[in-house]
Amino acid sequence: HVQLVASGGVLVQPGGSLRLSCAASGSILIINAMGWYRQAPGKDRELVATITSGGSTNYADSVKGRFTISRDNAKNTVYLQMNSLKSEDAAVYYCNADLSTFFKRSMPYWGKGTLVTVSS
């Protein structure tokens, strides 16, 4: 039984900063890659950033240079530091983890998302 719980989504002004976090819990054996995705109203869910177990990162062009993904393996937590926020960044942000449990091979798990609103 695995859960991913995301938190940190609030209303911020354009140009502001926000830090999202997502903690995985349950009968976890190994967490491989982790990532953040987002979905704006009327749009498809899109990749924001990913990070491997070795620390290699990948970012969407739209957030490159503004967002930073990181992880704390001891806490089974992935973070997304968002700076210089734009109105276009407003969306529900979902965390993802590719992990294995004591009973199943590695597969993707999803959190339920946290809402980020960018408005003045």
Side-chain angles (χ1 to χ4, degrees):
H1 182 59
V2 174
Q3 288 186 319
L4 295 178
V5 180
S7 62
V10 297
L11 188 153
V12 296
Q13 295 183 11
S17 297
L18 191 63
R19 190 193 193 202
L20 306 182
S21 64
C22 179
S25 63
S27 301
I28 299 169
L29 182 62
I30 294 290
I31 299 181
N32 299 306
M34 305 184 80
W36 288 95
Y37 296 72
R38 67 187 182 187
Q39 187 169 23
K43 307 292 289 185
D44 293 330
R45 186 176 300 187
E46 64 176 348
L47 171 70
V48 176
T50 60
I51 183 168
T52 68
S53 60
S56 179
T57 59
N58 184 52
Y59 298 92
D61 289 340
S62 59
V63 307
K64 198 171 300 180
R66 300 187 298 118
F67 291 10
T68 302
I69 188 171
S70 61
R71 61 192 289 172
D72 186 335
N73 292 328
K75 297 180 179 179
N76 291 339
T77 300
V78 62
Y79 304 94
L80 185 68
Q81 178 65 47
M82 304 184 292
N83 299 325
S84 302
L85 282 162
K86 306 174 181 179
S87 296
E88 308 92 86
D89 297 318
V92 176
Y93 283 71
Y94 298 89
C95 62
N96 166 269
D98 187 10
L99 60 84
S100 62
T101 71
F102 295 113
F103 307 102
K104 300 184 68 175
R105 299 197 313 272
S106 182
M107 62 180 293
Y109 289 80
W110 291 89
K112 292 186 176 181
T114 184
L115 178 63
V116 173
T117 303
V118 184
S119 177
S120 57

